[in-house]
Amino acid sequence: MFDNLTIEALKYYVYVLIDPRTNEPFYIGKGKGNRVFEHVDSAINSEKETDKLSQIREIRSSGLKVKHVILRHGLSEDESFKIESSLIDFMRYFSDTLTNEVFGQGTSEFGVLTASEIIGRYNAKPLEILKHEAVIININKTYERAKGGISIYNATKEAWVISEKRRGTLQLALSEYRGIIVEVFEILNWYKCITENQTSSRWGFNGTVSSEEIRMIYLNRSVRHTKKKGAANPIRYKL
């Protein structure tokens, strides 16, 4: 554990947990104080089951200790968010060893893209037609409120007022962030959401990222030209 003098000097920092059996990182995080050590404490003292905690328990069962590495320190909170998200994006792009359950802050807007995808996004062609039965779901508020601590899928999948008739025909959910389609999900089935103080039933969907063929139709296309000024409904079915 860090002493008070060290904590004061560290300020915000970005850290990585490394599996000593493989010497590979399995979790990247940011925080201050003794945040870096809390994951092992949680694995020991709680019964919660996650990929991260399971890996920590396996390491301890083998008689070894998790390696704690501070990658950058002396940071502001905003700086630590940006470095954390960059490292998570980098690792997810080249490896599948990370157990992080959510993407880093800003992943949707500024995350990993190929050069051609960057060109496509900032020269985003307007989406002129929906070739499938689809719902466009604006995730601005959900995603930004969570400061990136939520995946695009989790920000998109619930909880929406959608009629039974619509639920029976919809094939795709298009995630819209700041006027750009940032992901395309195939809807597998619907489930009723448990919500408080809601007068209407709300629904969520289980889904999976669509095929590349379908993603190519919608991904990084702009729908800004279709948005009516003052429109408040986060979901729509037509352009």
Side-chain angles (χ1 to χ4, degrees):
M1 303 292 282
F2 295 134
D3 58 71
N4 289 335
L5 286 175
T6 303
I7 289 173
E8 185 177 350
L10 282 173
K11 298 181 181 179
Y12 278 93
Y13 57 85
V14 177
Y15 61 89
V16 59
L17 305 184
I18 295 177
D19 190 329
R21 300 169 298 178
T22 61
N23 208 35
E24 291 185 346
F26 68 92
Y27 186 85
I28 292 170
K30 49 77 65 177
K32 60 180 179 178
N34 283 303
R35 172 60 179 163
V36 64
F37 304 113
E38 291 178 3
H39 307 285
V40 172
D41 291 342
S42 182
I44 296 170
N45 299 316
S46 79
E47 297 181 357
K48 186 177 179 181
E49 292 292 338
T50 67
D51 291 341
K52 173 190 64 183
L53 296 180
S54 294
Q55 190 156 344
I56 292 172
R57 290 171 184 139
E58 289 174 6
I59 293 168
R60 288 177 54 80
S61 295
S62 69
L64 299 172
K65 294 182 178 180
V66 173
K67 291 184 180 179
H68 300 87
V69 177
I70 306 300
L71 299 174
R72 285 290 186 277
H73 69 277
L75 306 170
S76 68
E77 184 175 24
D78 185 60
E79 289 170 335
S80 68
F81 268 125
K82 290 176 180 177
I83 293 172
E84 177 202 39
S85 62
S86 296
L87 290 171
I88 291 173
D89 284 350
F90 178 85
M91 285 297 300
R92 283 184 182 275
Y93 193 80
F94 293 105
S95 171
D96 60 359
T97 63
L98 285 190
T99 58
N100 291 70
E101 295 181 345
V102 297
F103 297 96
Q105 184 185 38
T107 292
S108 173
E109 189 174 6
F110 300 113
V112 175
L113 294 170
T114 66
S116 59
E117 288 171 335
I118 285 285
I119 293 170
R121 171 166 293 190
Y122 292 107
N123 293 271
K125 295 180 179 180
L127 181 61
E128 301 289 2
I129 187 172
L130 294 176
K131 295 185 178 182
H132 301 79
E133 291 294 326
V135 55
I136 302 172
I137 300 177
N138 182 285
I139 63 171
N140 286 2
K141 290 183 179 180
T142 304
Y143 199 79
E144 291 174 0
R145 188 183 302 122
K147 294 184 177 180
I150 185 173
S151 68
I152 294 173
Y153 173 63
N154 286 331
T156 306
K157 70 175 185 175
E158 61 179 43
W160 314 110
V161 178
I162 298 181
S163 69
E164 182 178 0
K165 182 178 180 181
R166 293 281 192 189
R167 297 197 306 273
T169 60
L170 289 172
Q171 301 168 285
L172 304 176
L174 310 183
S175 304
E176 176 210 339
Y177 183 70
R178 297 190 177 182
I180 302 293
I181 302 301
V182 294
E183 194 51 272
V184 184
F185 297 103
E186 177 186 352
I187 297 170
L188 302 179
N189 55 62
W190 293 90
Y191 58 87
K192 193 170 185 178
C193 297
I194 299 174
T195 55
E196 297 181 1
N197 303 320
Q198 298 291 345
T199 57
S200 302
S201 295
R202 291 180 177 265
W203 298 83
F205 68 86
N206 292 308
T208 185
V209 174
S210 295
S211 67
E212 282 304 308
E213 181 181 2
I214 292 176
R215 291 177 84 234
M216 288 291 289
I217 298 173
Y218 301 106
L219 197 63
N220 293 324
R221 290 298 186 97
S222 173
V223 293
R224 293 186 181 116
H225 62 293
T226 69
K227 302 184 76 170
K228 296 180 180 179
K229 188 175 181 180
N233 195 341
I235 64 173
R236 53 202 173 108
Y237 310 97
K238 297 180 181 180
L239 293 171

